[in-house]
Amino acid sequence: MPIPLPERLAEETNTVNAHIPIFLAHGTQDQVVPYAMGEYGRQVLEQIGFTVEWHSYPMAHTVIPRELDDIRVWLLRVLGGA
């Protein structure tokens, strides 16, 4: 039987990667990956101690310019370029 996601992630988390910030985004109209799965992923990551910056967008299973702008801002901030 497979190990449930929260337990598996907790087992695989290492001190090397435990403090890496995560940008996570999901479309509220995604018909490929249900929105609830994105929220679940965020909750699991936060429960085991990851810092997650969560964004939702009024989009389907795609990328929109606003999301790309948010990713750019986030990358500049976490990499020290902002």
Side-chain angles (χ1 to χ4, degrees):
M1 173 174 250
I3 300 171
L5 182 61
E7 288 82 2
R8 182 172 179 172
L9 283 175
E11 287 177 7
E12 293 179 4
T13 299
N14 188 296
T15 55
V16 173
N17 65 17
H19 301 289
I20 294 174
I22 297 171
F23 182 99
L24 192 59
H26 206 93
T28 57
Q29 300 158 7
D30 192 330
Q31 295 177 335
V32 177
V33 179
Y35 184 78
M37 293 301 293
E39 287 184 322
Y40 174 70
R42 174 183 55 89
Q43 291 169 359
V44 167
L45 289 166
E46 289 175 342
Q47 284 173 2
I48 61 174
F50 284 98
T51 301
V52 178
E53 184 167 323
W54 169 257
H55 294 260
S56 62
Y57 302 95
M59 64 182 190
H61 192 75
T62 188
V63 176
I64 59 174
R66 190 169 112 213
E67 180 182 15
L68 294 175
D69 289 341
D70 290 344
I71 292 169
R72 178 188 165 279
V73 168
W74 180 82
L75 282 170
L76 289 171
R77 187 174 65 247
V78 301
L79 297 176

